[in-house]
Amino acid sequence: MYNLVADVRRYGEFLPWVAAVRIRSDNETEMLADLVVGFKSLRESFTSRVIRHPHSKIEVDYLDGPMRHLHNQWLFEPTPTGCIVDFTVDFSFRNRVFEALAGQFFDHALRKMTGAFIERADVLYGDGKSS
């Protein structure tokens, strides 16, 4: 699961609303990436720093774009039969329209994004019985 989340360059292949990904720099522990996200006619790009702690944690900090701030963290805890993934996110938008939209649709969007990661894991790693 760590490898799936760490592979930001492939997000456009399976995550809803991710229209494009550009990797500015990448090494074993840190990546700088631009993502273009959109829904219908709304499109925004943002830049994030991704800090990787191999196989245990991934932290994402927002650097530039339409948001006031964004921080998310993925924690990975191996189990005898797989992995427990803990995801947290904290964000706010500069644009009040986006803030209002995010507030209305956050739960739905989070479920859709989580589902996309689970489906991708099933494709890459087999039926993990993720329910």
Side-chain angles (χ1 to χ4, degrees), residues 17-57:
W17 310 301
V18 175
V21 176
R22 182 176 75 121
I23 306 301
R24 292 184 181 199
S25 64
D26 191 12
N27 63 47
E28 189 175 314
T29 59
E30 184 176 307
M31 173 189 294
L32 225 54
D34 298 327
L35 265 65
V36 176
V37 295
F39 180 73
K40 296 188 180 184
S41 63
L42 297 174
R43 289 210 185 276
E44 289 287 347
S45 66
F46 63 94
T47 303
S48 294
R49 175 175 285 118
V50 180
I51 306 294
R52 295 179 289 224
H53 306 267
H55 306 289
S56 64
K57 178 168 62 170

Side-chain angles (χ1 to χ4, degrees), residues 49-128:
R49 175 175 285 118
V50 180
I51 306 294
R52 295 179 289 224
H53 306 267
H55 306 289
S56 64
K57 178 168 62 170
I58 296 174
E59 295 178 279
V60 180
D61 286 304
Y62 169 81
L63 299 177
D64 186 41
M67 304 181 92
R68 185 170 297 125
H69 78 275
L70 166 73
H71 176 81
N72 67 53
Q73 179 174 272
W74 299 80
L75 298 173
F76 304 89
E77 182 184 333
T79 69
T81 59
C83 181
I84 295 173
V85 179
D86 181 47
F87 175 71
T88 57
V89 62
D90 179 36
F91 68 92
S92 67
F93 287 94
R94 286 188 185 122
N95 182 312
R96 290 180 194 257
V97 172
F98 276 7
E99 187 76 33
L101 286 172
Q104 287 180 326
F105 298 106
F106 180 76
D107 187 56
H108 171 73
L110 185 60
R111 287 175 195 263
K112 192 165 178 92
M113 299 288 275
T114 302
F117 275 102
I118 292 168
E119 288 176 22
R120 182 67 167 186
D122 282 345
V123 166
L124 294 177
Y125 309 124
D127 185 6

